[in-house]
Amino acid sequence: MSSDNAIVVEGLTKRFGSFTAVDSISFEVKKGEIFGFLGANGAGKSTTIRMLCALLQSSAGTALVGGFDINKDPDRVKESIGYMSQKFSLYEDLTVEENINFFGRVYGLTRSALAERKKWVLNIASLEGQENRITGALSGGWKQRLALGCAVLHRPPIVFLDEPTSGVDPIMRRKFWELINDLSAEGVTVLVTTHFLEEAEYCNDIILINAGKIIANGSPKELRENHIKNPILEVQSRNVVDAMELIEKQPWALDTSVFGSYLHVGVPDETAARKEIELLLTQHQIGFEGIERISPSLEDVFIYLLDQEAKK
Ligand SMILES: Nc1ncnc2c1ncn2[C@@H]1O[C@H](COP(=O)(O)OP(=O)(O)O)[C@@H](O)[C@H]1O
Ligand SMILES: [Mg+2]
């Protein structure tokens, strides 16, 4: 294992009976980076994380987490990590402070270390003065920050965050990514799962997983440059759904997807397709504000790759 890697995964597999939830995946996570693990519900993200946290036995394959083998050294793995589970592992009926104290005891923090870290958690969670509130009464965004604070109370070098931004409003989601950035700036390695494709932009490296298999791997820049070779046209229309229904039937439309009032269409030839689209929309009296060539977003790339998988 290169000393630059915090996590090295090789052929990791999980079968539940005859069903393969995670199918021989391999990847490496560099120390201190934000590593995004993207995929739809059921893709195998939580199962992978639970194996990497040595909470679930793998069916095949290996992984080193913080230099320790998940199969041979599960206790050392657990000492090296923080884990925020998908359902935020807080006790709803305890107060904010009681939750922090609980995690402090689990991690064996000394009294002075706990006092210092408690201040830090209350600060990053913006919960100063709210120590006695019942955790269950906090809104999603505050719970999420408290759960993250508790997961890294013992200053682990590696932290696993399983869909930390699910069920949280967009503003709190953005703020939460700032917090993840702060952790990474302190040298903590962060492996974070999300089904929000647009959140991939916040990660240094990403894998996209589908039905237990990795279908793409790289930095946001590499992913944008290496997959979609054909031009993408963006059509702006107030009638974007009608425009899509019409355009997606055309033999030259490679793939189409809607983003708000914009339609993205992959095409083989920019000039020819531009003419075709103008003609079609005019003929069907679908108003449009403009047609522009754009460079693909990560979402475009992921939708394209998932489409390719679905066609297999
Ligand atoms: N204990 C289990 N027994 C059987 N199937 C499971 C179990 N845990 C997860 N699965 C299945 O494995 C697949 C991957 O689940 P999961 O890892 O939770 O996906 P994700 O976190 O990406 O949404 C799903 O089809 C899920 O139903
Ligand atoms: Mg999950």
Side-chain angles (χ1 to χ4, degrees), residues 46 86 162-163:
S46 296
Q86 192 162 355
D162 197 0
E163 302 225 14

Side-chain angles (χ1 to χ4, degrees), residues 17-278:
S18 60
F19 173 71
T20 305
V22 176
D23 196 354
S24 191
I25 63 172
S26 303
F27 60 91
E28 291 174 0
V29 179
K30 294 186 213 77
K31 276 185 186 160
E33 77 170 330
I34 303 176
F35 190 88
F37 205 65
L38 271 83
N41 286 328
K45 303 181 298 295
S46 296
T47 304
T48 302
I49 284 205
R50 287 166 57 219
M51 287 191 283
L52 295 180
C53 292
L55 298 169
L56 180 70
Q57 182 80 43
S58 61
S59 309
T62 57
L64 293 177
V65 175
F68 301 110
D69 189 308
I70 55 166
N71 298 309
K72 295 182 191 140
D73 241 342
D75 292 336
R76 301 297 294 278
V77 168
K78 284 179 198 153
E79 284 164 18
S80 313
I81 61 163
Y83 169 52
M84 179 171 158
S85 73
Q86 192 162 355
K87 295 217 165 70
F88 303 171
S89 30
L90 298 169
Y91 290 93
E92 298 264 315
D93 53 342
L94 294 186
T95 65
V96 168
E97 180 164 19
E98 285 165 344
N99 261 303
I100 301 173
N101 291 342
F102 170 79
F103 281 91
R105 278 196 300 277
V106 168
Y107 297 132
L109 262 53
T110 63
R111 186 184 288 263
S112 63
L114 176 60
E116 183 238 327
R117 291 301 273 170
K118 191 182 295 180
K119 263 196 208 149
W120 177 83
V121 173
L122 292 170
N123 176 263
I124 61 149
S126 311
L127 283 170
E128 285 134 328
Q130 315 276 316
E131 293 87 334
N132 296 322
R133 279 187 69 183
I134 296 295
T135 302
L138 300 175
S139 78
W142 270 273
K143 250 188 239 174
Q144 170 204 44
R145 297 170 80 86
L146 177 61
L148 177 70
C150 289
V152 297
L153 204 60
H154 54 312
R155 295 184 176 276
I158 301 170
V159 59
F160 293 90
L161 308 176
D162 197 0
E163 302 225 14
T165 54
S166 288
V168 174
D169 71 63
I171 293 172
M172 289 303 274
R173 273 167 54 195
R174 186 176 290 263
K175 281 184 180 288
F176 192 78
W177 278 99
E178 286 170 16
L179 198 54
I180 293 178
N181 248 316
D182 293 344
L183 281 179
S184 159
E186 285 176 23
V188 177
T189 306
V190 183
L191 188 149
V192 52
T193 75
T194 176
H195 64 263
F196 295 112
L197 298 181
E198 76 274 13
E199 292 189 338
E201 300 281 356
Y202 299 123
C203 303
N204 303 112
D205 278 296
I206 300 152
I207 57 178
L208 177 63
I209 181 172
N210 182 56
K213 289 199 174 77
I214 293 178
I215 59 173
N217 189 351
S219 67
K221 183 169 182 287
E222 286 164 348
L223 289 167
R224 264 194 295 270
E225 290 172 359
N226 295 349
H227 294 282
I228 304 185
K229 303 291 185 198
N230 55 270
I232 297 182
L233 292 176
E234 180 180 76
V235 182
Q236 190 183 0
S237 170
R238 257 166 281 190
N239 216 339
V240 72
V241 175
D242 289 343
M244 172 152 117
E245 280 176 1
L246 191 59
I247 290 171
E248 71 182 356
K249 284 191 226 131
Q250 307 305 316
W252 44 261
L254 300 176
D255 48 341
T256 53
S257 46
V258 167
F259 299 88
S261 62
Y262 296 94
L263 174 67
H264 291 185
V265 194
V267 298
D269 179 274
E270 182 187 344
T271 316
R274 193 186 274 278
K275 282 198 189 116
E276 298 258 17
I277 293 172
E278 281 174 9

